[in-house]
Amino acid sequence: MTYKKFRNEFEFAVNSVREEGRYRIFRDIRRKSGSFPHATWFRADSEKDIVVWCSNDYLGMGQNECVIEAVKSAVDSAGTGSGGTRNISGTTRYHVQLEKELADLHNKDRSLVMTSGYVANEATLGVMSKILPGLVILSDEKNHASMISGIQRARCKKIIFNHNDLTDLEIKLKSLPLKTPKIIAFESVYSMDADIAPIKEICDLADKYNALTYIDEVHAVGMYGQTGGGVCEELGLSNRIDIIQGTLAKAYGMVGGYIAADEVIIDAVRSMASGFIFTTSIPPSTAAGALRSVKILKVTPEKRVKHQERAEALKDRFRLAGYDFIDGKTHIVPIMVGDPVKCQAISDRLIEKFGIYAQPINFPTVPRGTERLRFTPSPFHDDVMMDNLMIALDSVWKEFGLDKKKVA
């Protein structure tokens, strides 16, 4: 085997990650249907009941009985896989209905469902330079890896502006000719830093300097706005964004990604983006489950209210205890650690001793020196769970001799 000649190089790459303290350990868990956020953790020789504190299934919709029923019904009616790409037999009635529902959610002409949020970003941004010759993409420095990958695929000029820095963005927009095609690519909720972009002000700059706007709302769809249309809906700005990208894998509890925009934009992307054209579509059952989840969250704003209350309850406890955490305006609550080895050790101790699963977040997801435990409380994390978490954190911090205000 040729591979044997290069084995040392593969081992060196993995060992380098280990030595930096950022080797990633996958927790083998099985969620308990109907008992979110409870799960079973499988170890080599035993099983342990745990409470998951780091799930992106923010509202527990992956455990919702109505969503589960929709998935089962679609399997009974249509079987499992879709059977092909969207162009070759893979566009089912479920996909068509889901896209109509998502377009309505964002008050856009049409939407386009893809296999993941990552693919939606990569495929859409990656094809923009073919549609707009001479394109320049202005990208927030903290944009997700999928957006960065899409911009790289576009092979056009890119300009990175400082995170949420309107002054820096305007300086860079002003340096470009007004007639040059431009896209400002940014996120609404930045999931690792728990902050929100100045969307209105970015739209104002886009109007002033003749730029299109592309926003990633994956951590906001289903979570914000009267019907779950994201931060753009909450602020009444959906009509000012040219392309809204979202996911079905977080608040909606399924898998898949999508974009929503005017009809001509969607038509161009579906006709030219290889990441959409050349891949099998999501299963009909997945589309059916997502469709049901979107419909439910459109008419149950109380789920979002409860979720925000729970996030604030956890922040209140962290404030009172004096932990160094990012006290943002979102539902995401990261405790800063600042060291990859300590971050992994804390996570290990929490799950092993207390049955609390909080995954360490390290480079390259976040910059080196900013490692953290990222907590995502849901409407189902009750006061008892929060009290147990605080007891566990206090014990672990003392065990490791850590200073709450400055851990690293």
Side-chain angles (χ1 to χ4, degrees), residues 1-9:
M1 292 175 61
T2 304
Y3 150 73
K4 292 181 178 179
K5 299 178 181 178
F6 300 98
R7 181 182 178 86
N8 290 340
E9 283 78 3

Side-chain angles (χ1 to χ4, degrees), residues 233-254:
E233 183 193 31
E234 186 169 274
L235 300 178
L237 297 171
S238 297
N239 65 326
R240 299 194 64 190
I241 298 291
D242 295 296
I243 304 173
I244 296 175
Q245 183 266 345
T247 186
L248 306 170
K250 293 181 171 61
Y252 295 120
M254 297 300 297

Side-chain angles (χ1 to χ4, degrees), residues 275-346:
F276 171 77
I277 295 170
F278 296 106
T279 190
T280 300
S281 62
I282 62 173
S285 57
T286 298
L291 175 63
R292 181 70 59 85
S293 189
V294 172
K295 286 185 173 182
I296 290 172
L297 289 182
K298 275 186 175 182
V299 297
T300 54
E302 63 271 14
K303 292 182 184 294
R304 288 180 280 281
V305 173
K306 178 67 173 178
H307 184 254
Q308 291 295 329
E309 183 275 324
R310 290 287 80 198
E312 286 304 314
L314 183 61
K315 292 175 191 176
D316 286 342
R317 284 168 167 79
F318 284 179
R319 291 186 198 106
L320 185 62
Y323 285 101
D324 178 16
F325 76 102
I326 298 178
D327 194 355
K329 296 180 180 180
T330 74
H331 57 283
I332 298 163
V333 192
I335 285 185
M336 304 305 293
V337 176
D339 178 270
V341 176
K342 290 177 181 177
C343 202
Q344 182 65 62
I346 292 168

Side-chain angles (χ1 to χ4, degrees), residues 44-68:
D45 57 355
S46 64
E47 300 176 9
K48 186 180 181 66
D49 291 334
I50 62 171
V51 174
V52 180
W53 277 94
C54 53
S55 176
N56 282 340
D57 186 1
Y58 292 134
L59 299 176
M61 293 302 288
Q63 308 284 305
N64 183 278
E65 290 183 1
C66 293
V67 174
I68 293 172

Side-chain angles (χ1 to χ4, degrees), residues 13-28 144-145 192 340-341 343-344 347-348 357 359-368 370-372:
V14 174
N15 288 335
S16 296
V17 174
R18 288 184 185 275
E19 289 171 5
E20 291 181 28
R22 59 184 184 90
Y23 182 76
R24 299 188 174 197
I25 298 171
F26 294 164
R27 304 292 188 194
D28 181 1
H144 190 264
M192 293 301 156
V341 176
C343 202
Q344 182 65 62
S347 175
D348 291 342
Y357 179 23
Q359 185 70 16
I361 306 296
N362 52 32
F363 181 83
T365 306
V366 295
R368 288 183 174 90
T370 68
E371 292 80 9
R372 64 202 67 179

